[in-house]
Amino acid sequence: MPLSYLHTMVRVKDLDASIAFYNLLGLKERKRHDSEGGRFTLVYLSPPEQTDGHADLELTYNWDGDDELPSDSRHFGHLAYECDDIYALCQQLMDNGITINRPPHDGRMAFVRSPDNISVELLQAGDAKAPAEPWTSMGNTGHW
């Protein structure tokens, strides 16, 4: 019996802040479901060039709060996205107040955290970029 990947779900405390963060990564809202009875909102995001209606990421927001959501969601692992220019994306994120926890020292890989501490891995598409400043000498911040 074949399986088809649907999405990854993460719970969020501040839906607007989380959507803004994932928009900075280039993801766009594809659909939204508000459940009056269940008192939650589901927002599905995916890259804009993905036109098949499939969502990579489901944000789940509980209207009455989510006290069970840990402050450090490290147990989740991470989301991973490939990008065309890791340096440009990291600069855009920094320009918008996002901490680069693991800068792309090697021109290949970086890590950032969402507003809900979800670890997000960014990978350079194709070959790694040549090492460049300020990334090469930028230190790691926190953990990812």
Side-chain angles (χ1 to χ4, degrees):
M1 177 183 307
L3 297 176
S4 295
Y5 174 78
L6 294 177
H7 60 262
T8 297
M9 183 278 275
V10 296
R11 296 183 309 180
V12 300
K13 288 186 178 185
D14 183 330
L15 186 58
D16 292 334
S18 293
I19 290 171
F21 171 79
Y22 291 108
N23 285 169
L24 287 171
L25 292 179
L27 300 182
K28 301 297 178 198
E29 185 173 328
R30 291 289 179 219
K31 66 180 178 176
R32 179 183 292 240
H33 172 72
D34 292 315
S35 173
E36 290 286 335
R39 302 196 46 77
F40 64 85
T41 297
L42 305 178
V43 175
Y44 297 89
L45 303 147
S46 62
E49 62 277 0
Q50 189 170 308
T51 59
D52 62 3
H54 184 81
D56 289 334
L57 181 61
E58 172 193 310
L59 304 181
T60 299
Y61 173 71
N62 293 312
W63 298 354
D64 299 321
D66 203 340
D67 293 335
E68 299 301 313
L69 186 61
S71 62
D72 181 356
S73 297
R74 188 66 181 141
H75 65 278
F76 170 78
H78 66 267
L79 301 172
Y81 293 98
E82 185 176 73
C83 59
D84 291 333
D85 186 337
I86 196 164
Y87 294 150
L89 179 55
C90 286
Q91 187 62 57
Q92 173 187 326
L93 293 170
M94 282 179 41
D95 291 347
N96 282 277
I98 305 299
T99 299
I100 308 299
N101 299 101
R102 194 277 192 192
H105 307 123
D106 55 3
R108 174 85 182 126
M109 177 182 65
F111 276 88
V112 296
R113 290 280 188 131
S114 78
D116 295 287
N117 282 320
I118 300 297
S119 190
V120 178
E121 178 182 27
L122 306 172
L123 294 168
Q124 174 63 42
D127 294 333
K129 291 188 148 308
E133 292 298 338
W135 314 108
T136 305
S137 60
M138 188 180 289
N140 294 340
T141 302
H143 62 277
W144 55 92

